[in-house]
Amino acid sequence: MVKIESSWKEALSDFFETPEFAELGKAVRAEYENGKVYPAPKNIFRAFDETPFGEVKVIILGQDPYHGHGQAEGLSFSVPDGVLLPPSLKNIFKEIENDIGIDTTMRSGNLLPWAQQGVFLLNSILTVRAKQAASHHNLGWEKFTDTVIRKLSENRENLVFMLWGNYARGKKDLIDRNKHLILEASHPSPFSADNGFFGCKHFSKCNEYLKNREQNEIFW
């Protein structure tokens, strides 16, 4: 039995019944039993629980959870209150400040307020071994989250997909660009932010798109 918000459970019911998902479940349970894995089990599907299927307006796609102690909480790029901002999140806040003029100097890295406004903070891979980035790359999560992206593309309209970095941009073929806005840029990591993330103005472009379709803008 998958513990996930009811509208997502309905939307993904077909995939939950596949052999692939059964194998994924076994593999994930084994990883948690045999070592330190993030996030806490109760937070694996937190992005889904905080942003129901019909309330999604924006999708920010990450790769896999933070692998440091106390960082991952089930929302892409987000960290709990009081945790030092990871470099990529610092750069996200810097771009928000430059783009729309919001002061982010004292801001917490907890992005739950975004999720509650309809920003679906999805990682492509939902678990990771401690101190081992991308360690669950071949566990089977990608098939699941690719299905999630397809379901949103097929069954919703006027969504904004923010794809940062080559990995996320590789998912654009799953999205119907005739129905949705796809925003692409380099990753906000310090290694690549100067190559197209800074100055991308995704946050103002997103709000302009939503406003033009009579939807509430996101308070970033």
Side-chain angles (χ1 to χ4, degrees):
M1 183 68 70
V2 181
K3 293 183 179 180
I4 194 170
E5 192 273 336
S6 59
S7 65
W8 281 108
K9 193 166 190 176
E10 180 178 353
L12 300 168
S13 59
D14 290 348
F15 190 85
F16 288 143
E17 296 172 1
T18 63
E20 289 88 351
F21 190 77
E23 289 301 312
L24 172 61
K26 290 178 185 177
V28 170
R29 281 192 293 273
E31 286 289 312
Y32 275 91
E33 289 169 0
N34 295 321
K36 187 66 177 175
V37 175
Y38 301 126
K42 67 179 181 179
N43 287 332
I44 292 175
F45 294 112
R46 188 176 176 214
F48 300 82
D49 295 335
E50 300 292 355
T51 313
F53 186 81
E55 296 178 18
V56 174
K57 295 159 66 174
V58 183
I59 298 90
I60 297 181
L61 185 64
Q63 186 164 351
D64 64 340
Y66 296 121
H67 57 271
H69 175 71
Q71 292 181 306
E73 57 175 357
L75 305 173
S76 65
F77 293 102
S78 181
V79 292
D81 291 328
V83 173
L84 191 68
L85 296 185
S88 292
L89 186 52
K90 280 185 180 179
N91 286 338
I92 290 169
F93 284 169
K94 183 176 180 181
E95 175 60 21
I96 289 172
E97 191 162 330
N98 291 336
D99 183 12
I100 54 181
I102 294 176
D103 184 3
T104 61
T105 308
M106 301 300 293
R107 182 169 298 187
S108 165
N110 181 354
L111 303 182
L112 178 60
W114 293 5
Q116 293 172 335
Q117 295 177 77
V119 181
F120 186 40
L121 297 167
L122 177 67
N123 279 316
S124 180
I125 302 163
L126 299 187
T127 56
V128 68
R129 290 178 192 161
K131 301 180 182 179
Q132 297 182 49
S135 49
H136 286 177
H137 171 59
N138 292 315
L139 217 58
W141 280 123
E142 291 93 337
K143 289 182 180 179
F144 171 64
T145 52
D146 282 359
T147 299
V148 169
I149 294 168
R150 285 195 195 95
K151 290 286 187 180
L152 285 168
S153 177
E154 292 169 1
N155 295 289
R156 298 289 313 282
E157 294 183 354
N158 300 325
L159 301 179
V160 180
F161 289 83
M162 295 186 180
L163 307 180
W164 300 334
N166 290 336
Y167 183 86
R169 294 165 85 170
K171 305 293 184 179
K172 63 184 175 183
D173 289 342
L174 304 172
I175 304 162
D176 185 347
R177 61 176 60 248
N178 294 315
K179 294 170 60 180
H180 308 289
L181 176 64
I182 300 175
L183 298 174
E184 300 180 54
S186 64
H187 196 276
S189 160
F191 298 107
S192 56
D194 286 325
N195 296 324
F197 180 76
F198 289 141
C200 69
K201 299 188 179 298
H202 280 187
F203 304 96
S204 59
K205 289 176 180 177
C206 170
N207 278 351
E208 181 180 7
Y209 182 85
L210 294 175
K211 183 178 180 181
N212 288 341
R213 283 150 186 81
E214 299 183 346
Q215 298 187 59
N216 290 332
E217 300 173 53
I218 305 298
F219 180 72
W220 298 105

